[in-house]
Amino acid sequence: MQIQKSEYVPWRDRAFVSVAEAGEIVARSSDWVRNRIGEGRLHGCRVTPGGPLVVSVRSLLDLVDSALLAAPPARGPRLYLAIDNT
């Protein structure tokens, strides 16, 4: 019996990601992800009865997008104009 290796699918192209994967994507712990599911900020479900809890990619994208919109703009280096009038 030969096991076929599945091809990697980027997370944005999936319907669901695991709780651990969602945590890695947003640089947070699995507990943090579960708390956001409990708050309703992420949509978690079980695709099969008794299966693992997964997070919908759409809700994850919405959470990331809302965080980006709420973040203050990045500040680059300040430029100063120095004038010598001598």
Side-chain angles (χ1 to χ4, degrees):
M1 180 178 183
Q2 185 178 4
I3 298 174
Q4 291 186 7
K5 194 173 184 178
S6 60
E7 193 173 315
Y8 175 76
V9 177
W11 71 269
R12 290 177 183 263
D13 296 336
R14 302 181 207 173
F16 301 100
V17 293
S18 71
V19 170
E21 288 173 318
E24 288 177 18
I25 290 165
V26 295
R28 299 292 183 160
S29 69
S30 295
D31 287 339
W32 185 90
V33 172
R34 285 186 188 90
N35 288 337
R36 299 303 79 78
I37 292 170
E39 294 171 353
R41 293 176 63 196
L42 285 174
H43 176 74
C45 65
R46 298 185 193 281
V47 177
T48 57
L53 183 64
V54 293
V55 177
S56 78
V57 168
R58 179 74 256 158
S59 71
L60 188 59
L61 287 169
D62 290 345
L63 182 74
V64 169
D65 288 345
S66 68
L68 290 174
L69 291 174
R75 294 181 60 167
R78 290 186 174 196
L79 298 176
Y80 294 97
L81 178 60
I83 299 175
D84 183 8
N85 288 330
T86 57

